[in-house]
Amino acid sequence: MAITTSNTFHTAAISDTISSARGYWNSSFQALLRNFNSANATPNSQNLNFEGAFSAEPDGMLYYNNTTGGMYLHTTKYGQGPFGNFRRVGLSTRPYNTVAAAALDSGSLDPGELIVVINDTAGAAANNRVYLVSDDNKKLIDIGIPSTDGVISNTTIIAKSITGDEIADNTITSDHIAPGTVIESDIGNESITDEKLDSSLVLLGMVL
């Protein structure tokens, strides 16, 4: 980060004049008030001057990135992210207008952070959700519970992941089965018993 008056924390030394010390404190208060506001450039030792000696960024230091719109916490506990040791861990969500916009911004997504889509007019209202940035590949995982019927599409269901255990009794009727979709190879041997047959239909078939 290029050093500017508003982005430098500088404590006065005993040898500094009162005038110099006043300037240092004023710039320090501005830096803290703005959380070292910068566009993608994180604070470094050049922004932290303790009585004339530069110091490394301490854990717990906050930094605001005005490009991503996110607040970052300096921590050495969880490895580095897109902005080094300034991570999104322990902080609130970051908003995006669309899921597509979040995916395009993968370079700034921090694994482990939560993002929210709050106005996905370009997609669907069902996309207005909370997502977890799951790993270094920046995969977005929907961690919310569907709020309305019909928001889970068939593309989100893994093949053969729904078994009889997930289907309540008597929930699938003939109305849910398209004509011609159940063929002989779909029916196991002796899987259709008398209990599953409507006697009137059997009699009608025998007549026909």
Side-chain angles (χ1 to χ4, degrees):
M1 175 186 291
I3 293 179
T4 63
T5 300
S6 60
N7 268 340
T8 304
F9 185 89
H10 191 157
T11 57
I14 193 170
S15 57
D16 291 323
T17 64
I18 293 178
S19 177
S20 296
R22 178 179 177 276
Y24 295 153
W25 279 111
N26 285 348
S27 68
S28 297
F29 288 139
Q30 290 183 56
L32 294 177
L33 180 65
R34 293 160 45 89
N35 291 303
F36 298 89
N37 183 346
S38 179
N40 288 330
T42 58
N44 56 37
S45 61
Q46 298 298 306
N47 298 101
L48 302 172
N49 189 321
F50 295 154
E51 298 186 19
F54 295 119
S55 175
E57 314 90 280
D59 280 1
M61 178 180 179
L62 292 175
Y63 154 62
Y64 176 72
N65 186 321
N66 62 37
T67 298
T68 67
M71 185 75 78
Y72 296 80
L73 173 73
H74 190 278
T75 176
T76 53
K77 290 184 178 295
Y78 306 105
Q80 295 192 341
F83 300 101
N85 285 320
F86 284 95
R87 304 295 305 273
R88 291 280 301 150
V89 294
L91 299 174
S92 185
T93 57
R94 188 149 53 101
Y96 285 90
N97 285 336
T98 66
V99 174
L104 289 173
D105 194 31
S106 63
S108 73
L109 294 178
D110 194 359
E113 78 166 307
L114 296 177
I115 67 168
V116 291
V117 174
I118 56 176
N119 187 32
D120 196 352
T121 54
N127 288 335
N128 295 329
R129 316 277 293 151
V130 180
Y131 297 86
L132 169 69
V133 183
S134 68
D135 51 33
D136 289 336
N137 293 324
K138 313 301 177 68
K139 182 179 180 181
L140 301 179
I141 297 179
D142 185 343
I143 63 170
I145 299 174
S147 56
T148 57
D149 293 337
V151 297
I152 298 179
S153 68
N154 62 333
T155 58
T156 62
I157 301 174
I158 299 174
K160 300 180 180 180
S161 62
I162 297 180
T163 67
D165 295 332
E166 279 85 34
I167 302 173
D169 292 341
N170 303 318
T171 56
I172 298 180
T173 66
S174 57
D175 296 331
H176 299 101
I177 303 174
T181 57
V182 179
I183 60 177
E184 183 178 355
S185 60
D186 297 322
I187 303 173
N189 293 333
E190 301 180 358
S191 61
I192 298 179
T193 63
D194 292 342
E195 289 79 8
K196 296 181 172 66
L197 297 176
D198 187 318
S199 59
S200 61
L201 292 177
V202 173
L203 291 174
L204 177 61
M206 295 174 65
V207 172
L208 295 176

